[in-house]
Amino acid sequence: MTYSNKAKRKVLVVVGTRPEAIKLAPVIKELSQRASVFDLRICVTAQHREMLDQMLELFEIKPDIDLDIMRPKQALPDLTARVLRGMSRVFKREKPDLVLIQGDTTTVLATALAAFYQRIPVGHVEAGLRTRDRYNPFPEEINRRLVGSLAHFHFAPTPYARENLLAEGVDPKTIFVTGNTVIDALKWILSEPPTDKERQLLVSLEVKGKLVVVTAHRRESFGQPLVSLCRALRTLVERNPDVTLVYPVHPNPQVREVVRHLLTGHKRIYLIEPLPYASFVRLMHMSYMIMTDSGGIQEEATALGKPVLVLREKTERPEVVEAGVARLVGTDEERIVSTAEELLNNRSLYRKMARAREIFGDGHAAERIADILEQSLPKETKYL
Ligand code: UD1
Ligand code: UDP
């Protein structure tokens, strides 16, 4: 495959879910500012609908193509097939010089595969994260490994991610440590004062005492682990009158039904709709601690200096644990409650964990990615 002989490089950015929109928004902004170099096209698969639209609106991203793929309770084989077929049609029509994807979702895997079938080069943002456990997180760990084989440019957020790729035999010339673009997004939001709407939301929550922000949505936790996790949250609030819990609930029915069933009806537990990113960032900022199974929130909490209890058995971001910001607590009820109470009551432990660290980047990852593409795209055809 060689690049067509034209002045601008056509880059197609593909976005499927909420975290992809947040983490690609800074890259889209950066590429769009270099209009003399890049012919930028944006395609959303809309693997997520409402949560994606919420982010597109906030970051003022206007997709050129929308595959509108989401279905209620979508199953992985159908979702994968719809993205694969949809993206194949898009690539035939658009013929981009490069496809840019982010993370580890089904959109990312199926898009990389569709691009491979048409010999279109792929750039992978947030490359190299691994737990080395194929079912944790599921299916994301395998998605990442497969995309690692398919991509031509690997934008690793940290040196640890780079090491993972090298260990799998990825050509070192194709790996670039850039930092994570989520830090760019976080700093972008925090550089602007809160809007009235964001302020009103925080006031309406009437938080007294210590605010604990919670999110949980992972497929490997469906069923008993999620039940156990919710019981832990309820016990924590019941035993600690100074705690208010705010939980924006993921719209997946398999999450909602359990969470609503086990956590409604307590005046210090707020189950709310997913928040626009800017509001969620403000919420994290005013929290005492965060309990989550989200990948992105682990990174943001580290940058904000908010202690995190990671509600998972394994993390592909061991940096957060090594840096002392996070504790891996899994979904066991007793373990979650006892670790959370330790953090509520032990001031010196809390102070040690509540320190902001720059391990995931300095807020200039998108700039680095755009620089690398600008330098490499016209020249580096040898491994395509
Ligand atoms: C997906 C990703 C996961 C990522 C997460 C971010 C896969 C396999 N999973 O998980 O890696 O961490 O997104 O949130 O790619 N739904 C809505 N509205 C929305 C979004 C989802 O109603 O805006 C409901 C739908 O019923 C949908 C279901 O949630 O079928 C599941 O969505 P899906 O994208 O398959 O899985 P997530 O759990 O969101
Ligand atoms: N987030 C948000 N609103 C919310 C909950 C989360 O904007 O109500 C943001 C959060 O700050 C992070 C991202 O969504 O940047 C994480 O998305 P999610 O948990 O869906 O995916 P994961 O990180 O697990 O892939």
Side-chain angles (χ1 to χ4, degrees):
M1 165 109 199
T2 51
Y3 292 108
S4 51
N5 188 17
K6 55 183 189 261
K8 288 201 211 180
R9 296 299 162 205
K10 186 169 183 177
V11 175
L12 181 70
V13 179
V14 183
V15 188
T17 65
R18 166 170 74 185
E20 291 161 68
I22 294 168
K23 290 174 169 180
L24 283 171
V27 181
I28 290 172
K29 187 178 169 201
E30 191 63 39
L31 294 177
S32 66
Q33 283 166 0
R34 303 184 191 202
S36 61
V37 181
F38 300 111
D39 173 12
L40 176 65
R41 302 276 288 164
I42 299 161
C43 172
V44 298
T45 64
Q47 173 180 334
H48 283 175
R49 187 71 273 174
E50 300 84 357
M51 291 207 298
L52 178 73
D53 291 345
Q54 203 177 36
M55 298 305 152
L56 298 178
E57 191 189 328
L58 174 75
F59 290 111
E60 298 177 357
I61 297 171
K62 293 189 177 42
D64 300 293
I65 304 152
D66 188 335
L67 299 181
D68 199 21
I69 260 167
M70 195 193 85
R71 302 286 177 275
K73 290 191 179 179
Q74 57 205 3
L76 291 177
D78 297 335
L79 176 62
T80 310
R82 282 200 301 278
V83 178
L84 187 61
R85 281 200 203 100
M87 287 315 304
S88 299
R89 280 194 293 271
V90 170
F91 291 150
K92 258 192 202 123
R93 216 171 47 233
E94 294 286 327
K95 297 187 177 32
D97 294 310
L98 179 92
V99 177
L100 209 51
I101 48 180
Q102 190 283 334
D104 52 19
T105 65
T106 296
T107 286
V108 174
L109 171 63
T111 298
L113 193 57
F116 168 69
Y117 288 155
Q118 294 183 45
R119 297 175 189 243
I120 297 168
V122 170
H124 185 207
V125 178
E126 199 181 80
L129 275 59
R130 300 288 184 272
T131 59
R132 306 204 185 291
D133 176 343
R134 60 171 56 216
Y135 295 117
N136 266 304
F138 172 83
E140 292 83 0
E141 172 70 8
I142 292 295
N143 287 354
R144 290 179 195 131
R145 290 194 215 169
L146 296 173
V147 175
S149 304
L150 295 165
H152 300 75
F153 297 91
H154 307 264
F155 300 110
T158 62
Y160 162 79
R162 178 175 190 271
E163 290 304 315
N164 286 334
L165 292 164
L166 291 174
E168 289 171 14
V170 175
D171 180 351
K173 290 197 293 298
T174 65
I175 308 172
F176 306 89
V177 178
T178 57
N180 197 308
T181 55
V182 79
I183 306 299
D184 304 23
L186 185 70
K187 291 197 171 183
W188 180 357
I189 295 299
L190 290 174
S191 70
E192 283 162 24
T195 60
D196 289 345
K197 212 169 154 194
E198 286 159 34
R199 273 205 205 93
Q200 273 160 21
L201 170 97
L202 299 179
V203 172
S204 74
L205 290 173
E206 290 179 28
V207 174
K208 290 183 196 81
K210 291 171 177 157
L211 166 64
V212 178
V213 175
V214 179
T215 78
H217 70 82
R218 305 229 75 87
R219 270 179 162 78
E220 66 273 14
S221 298
F222 291 173
Q224 195 47 45
L226 187 58
V227 169
S228 156
L229 190 163
C230 288
R231 288 209 177 110
L233 296 174
R234 191 156 192 125
T235 306
L236 184 70
V237 174
E238 281 169 357
R239 289 207 329 208
N240 296 276
D242 60 337
V243 166
T244 298
L245 203 138
V246 177
Y247 183 170
V249 187
H250 191 290
N252 192 333
Q254 280 178 278
V255 175
R256 282 217 160 170
E257 283 155 22
V258 176
V259 170
R260 284 208 178 122
H261 178 64
L262 293 171
L263 292 177
T264 34
H266 194 293
K267 66 177 188 320
R268 280 181 290 110
I269 301 179
Y270 289 89
L271 301 181
I272 59 174
E273 287 300 317
L275 292 172
Y277 185 57
S279 303
F280 189 71
V281 167
R282 313 277 177 211
L283 189 71
M284 286 193 289
H285 204 242
M286 63 183 257
S287 72
Y288 180 83
M289 68 174 165
I290 299 171
M291 299 168 73
T292 188
D293 65 8
S294 154
I297 297 174
Q298 292 174 54
E299 294 150 353
E300 291 158 348
T302 306
L304 292 169
K306 298 293 173 182
V308 198
L309 300 193
V310 182
L311 305 168
R312 295 165 59 171
E313 304 303 332
K314 304 251 168 89
T315 178
E316 58 292 272
R317 291 152 172 101
E319 297 96 333
V320 293
V321 180
E322 278 158 26
V325 188
R327 292 249 184 123
L328 209 54
V329 290
T331 51
D332 177 73
E333 186 178 344
E334 268 173 40
R335 187 151 180 232
I336 295 173
V337 176
S338 63
T339 318
E341 287 186 340
E342 221 187 318
L343 262 169
L344 289 171
N345 301 321
N346 183 336
R347 287 300 301 167
S348 79
L349 171 72
Y350 181 82
R351 272 197 300 271
K352 242 190 255 163
M353 287 179 75
R355 268 192 230 135
R357 288 163 175 91
E358 257 202 5
I359 47 182
F360 289 107
D362 57 2
H364 297 283
E367 216 174 291
R368 288 189 193 99
I369 291 168
D371 284 348
I372 293 157
L373 291 180
E374 198 170 329
Q375 286 156 23
S376 314
L377 265 185
K379 291 182 280 180
E380 300 281 328
T381 52
K382 58 183 176 295
Y383 44 72
L384 301 177

